[in-house]
Each structure stands twice: as C-alpha cells, then as structure tokens.
Amino acid sequence: MPAIDDQASMFVAARASGHWDADRQAVLDRWLAEDTRHQGAFFRAEAAFAMLNRARVMGAGVRAEDIPSPLFEPEPLPQIAPRPASPTRRHLLKTGGLLAATATGAALMLPLWSGRARLETQVGELRKVPLKDRSVASVNTDSALDIALTPTRRDIKLVKGEVWFQVAKDPERPFVVAADTVRARAVGTAFGVRRFEAGAEVMVSEGVVEVWNTHAPETPVRIKAGDKVFVPYAPQPVPEPLRAEFAPDVIDRKLAWRDGQIALDNDSLSRAAAEFNRYNSRKIVIADPALNDEKLVGWFRADQPDTFARAVNVALNAPVTIDDERIVIGSAE
C-alpha cells in the first residue's frame, strides 16, 4: 500500500487528468473520512499541484496517466459517512518528520546531567536530555531551565518556554518543576509544563501530578493522565481550588512538538501563525485581519512555514508572499 502522501498525490493527479467519475469520487470520499491524516495529506497534495501547476504532483513522481486503476476500484469499506467531495476551509495538510535540532535534522541527545546546570534551546531547536536520575527532559524551542539534582530533591526551574519530562520513580526525592509561582510535583510520571505571560499550563501524559500556586499552597490539585490545568501566576483575591480539564486529545496535539510537528484542530489562523513563529526566524505575518479567525485543521512540520502558507493559499484562497525574511498571508488592501 503506498504511503499516505503518495496516495493523496495519486488522487489529486487522477482527478486533474479528467478521467474521473462518481465511483472514483466515492472512493476518495471514503478515504478522506477514514483518517484526519488522509485529509491533511490530500490538501498538501492539492497545494503542491496548485503551486507547480503541472501534471507531476510534488513528492509522488507519478503522472496521472500512470496511476494504476486498482487504486480506484470500488471495494467494501467501513460504513463511514463520507466527507464533502470539495475541500473545506477547515482542512489542510499533514507533513511528517522531525524538527531539526541540528543542520542535518538529527535529534540532539545531550550527555547526562547531574548537579546544577542551565539548559537552553534556541529558536527552532529541540533537545532531549537524559538526567542523572534516569529521568528525561524534552526541551521545546526557545526555552531555558535550571536543573538542580541533590541526594534529597530534584528541582527544575522553567525560566521560559516549554519542557516535557519522563520522570524516573524515586519516592525519596521529590521532582518539582517551578514556573514563576506555579509548582508541579511528581514521583514517577510524564508531564509537560509551558510558561505563558500570565501563567503556566501543566499537562499530564502518564501518572499523577500535584499542581499549586505558592500564593495559595493550601489549594493544590492532583491531575492524572489526560488532564491539563492552567495556573495564573498572580495571587487570586479569593483562592479557589484549581480545576483541571480532561482533554487527552488536546494534550496529544499540544505535545506534537516532541516530534517536530504542529497539530491544529479547528484552530484560528492567527494562533497557527503564532505557533509557527515560535520555531522559525522567518516569521509569518497576517496582513489581512479578516483572516485571523479562519479555522484550520491539520498536522504540519514546525520547520516548514512556507509549506503551511502555501496550503493556506489553497484552502483560503488568500494571497501569500514568501521571501527570505518573512511570509505574508493576505493583503492589507
């Protein structure tokens, strides 16, 4: 079975060839309905076709007339309601791959850390760091953290950015992450912490984490796998118990950065642009404010803002200008 991107490219090329009928459209509808990744791949292929304006689809190397007919033979498929035949503005593309931590695109594994150390990443850099206690820290773009491991404690100060930990179990040595006044404590679990301007978000992948604000240490919350909670830094007039949200799918998407990806699910174009700008020195600028709230769905490589912009061009019919310094979506006129 061809890879998803290759299948999508063959669908697009076949449709453009003019040899298209209701049966083939039904197969395409079912294929799109099977998996959101199919939808993303299809729109990637459409963006490539529109950009190249020729019969050979990007990445597939397949001409429309060379497509094997068995691909389109109607066969029994799961009874899933087909999606609309025409692409909508809420579906874009998926690209695979890992955000490069080095020029060669390899993930960067640092030596074991012990004692005290400052760990930093630059814009567009990811680091996966094994610690002396056998925990692992995955550090997102443009982040900084101070690590302090002692025989009795494991303290991490998140100065800026985002980090995800796979914590080695050691009940005698609490593992505590501090982000301003926010604290997250675990024994043996996996969780992420991201700093924002007004507070910090804690997301749990495995196990249980206790979260609190030092302004109100008497009101902690225990959050389990699939939970996330946002904790403001500022003291609240009347301390209230923190309220966690069970959102495992949201957490999976938010942690897609560990694989060098940005996952969008009905997110606005303005938010998507902000996410891409975290990882790239060439920034995305939305020139037309009317586009800010357009909703997008898809998986993207974080280090390919130009591919994302071309997909937006196709999905939203918005002009896109790309140069060495920035990517402009829309027109100010």
Side-chain angles (χ1 to χ4, degrees):
M1 176 67 67
I4 289 176
D5 283 341
D6 290 345
Q7 287 180 302
S9 296
M10 287 190 278
F11 274 121
V12 171
R15 196 169 67 168
S17 72
H19 302 294
W20 195 252
D21 55 29
D23 288 338
R24 293 185 177 188
Q25 183 63 53
V27 172
L28 172 59
D29 289 341
R30 292 176 182 176
W31 186 79
L32 290 172
E34 285 176 351
D35 194 323
T36 56
R37 294 176 300 171
H38 293 178
Q39 302 159 27
F42 182 79
F43 283 94
R44 178 190 178 187
E46 284 220 318
F49 192 90
M51 179 182 66
L52 296 177
N53 192 27
R54 54 181 175 167
R56 189 175 294 274
V57 179
M58 182 177 69
V62 177
R63 295 178 302 170
E65 58 267 30
D66 293 336
I67 297 171
S69 58
L71 175 65
F72 301 102
E73 288 296 330
E75 9 180 88
L77 292 173
Q79 295 301 309
I80 303 174
R83 296 187 181 274
S86 299
T88 70
R89 291 187 172 187
R90 296 176 55 188
H91 299 92
L92 293 178
L93 66 109
K94 176 184 185 298
T95 57
L98 176 68
L99 182 66
T102 67
T104 60
L108 182 60
M109 180 70 77
L110 296 185
L112 295 174
W113 284 100
S114 60
R116 295 179 179 272
R118 163 65 68 95
L119 179 59
E120 295 183 273
T121 57
Q122 303 303 312
V123 172
E125 181 185 19
L126 303 182
R127 291 188 178 185
K128 187 175 182 181
V129 184
L131 306 181
K132 186 66 174 178
D133 68 337
R134 302 191 315 279
S135 297
V136 176
S138 295
V139 189
N140 204 353
T141 177
D142 193 23
S143 298
L145 56 152
D146 293 325
I147 302 171
L149 304 180
T150 71
T152 59
R153 291 185 59 85
R154 296 173 290 176
D155 290 309
I156 310 292
K157 180 181 179 181
L158 181 59
V159 179
K160 66 174 181 175
E162 183 174 14
V163 63
W164 180 84
F165 296 100
Q166 182 74 55
V167 181
K169 190 171 184 179
D170 187 347
E172 304 304 318
R173 300 170 69 195
F175 191 103
V176 180
V177 179
D180 199 287
T181 61
V182 178
R183 299 291 185 271
R185 178 170 55 206
V187 176
T189 185
F191 70 105
V193 182
R194 178 176 175 182
R195 286 196 62 151
F196 290 89
E197 183 176 350
E201 184 176 57
V202 181
M203 300 176 291
V204 180
S205 306
E206 302 173 13
V208 177
V209 174
E210 189 175 51
V211 183
W212 71 96
N213 187 312
T214 56
H215 290 303
E218 72 280 2
T219 59
V221 61
R222 289 174 62 85
I223 60 176
K224 61 184 184 304
D227 286 347
K228 67 183 183 72
V229 64
F230 181 83
V231 186
Y233 302 136
Q236 303 302 303
V238 179
E240 296 182 0
L242 297 170
R243 303 187 187 281
E245 176 187 359
F246 182 68
D249 292 341
V250 174
I251 291 175
D252 286 344
R253 290 193 298 273
K254 287 193 173 188
L255 294 178
W257 63 264
R258 295 175 299 170
D259 296 319
Q261 297 183 349
I262 292 174
L264 305 176
D265 182 25
N266 208 31
D267 292 289
S268 68
L269 176 59
S270 60
R271 179 191 174 277
E275 282 298 297
F276 273 97
N277 289 344
R278 293 178 66 199
Y279 296 90
N280 299 280
S281 56
R282 183 171 54 170
K283 305 303 183 184
I284 295 176
V285 177
I286 304 175
D288 183 357
L291 296 174
N292 282 332
D293 294 331
E294 291 286 354
K295 303 302 182 183
L296 307 174
V297 174
W299 290 71
F300 303 80
R301 277 188 54 143
D303 59 351
Q304 293 185 353
D306 51 345
T307 301
F308 167 76
R310 291 185 179 105
V312 170
N313 167 252
V314 172
L316 303 184
N317 193 29
V320 171
T321 304
I322 300 176
D323 59 35
D324 293 337
E325 296 183 356
R326 64 178 189 167
I327 297 171
V328 179
I329 298 177
S331 172
E333 297 179 358

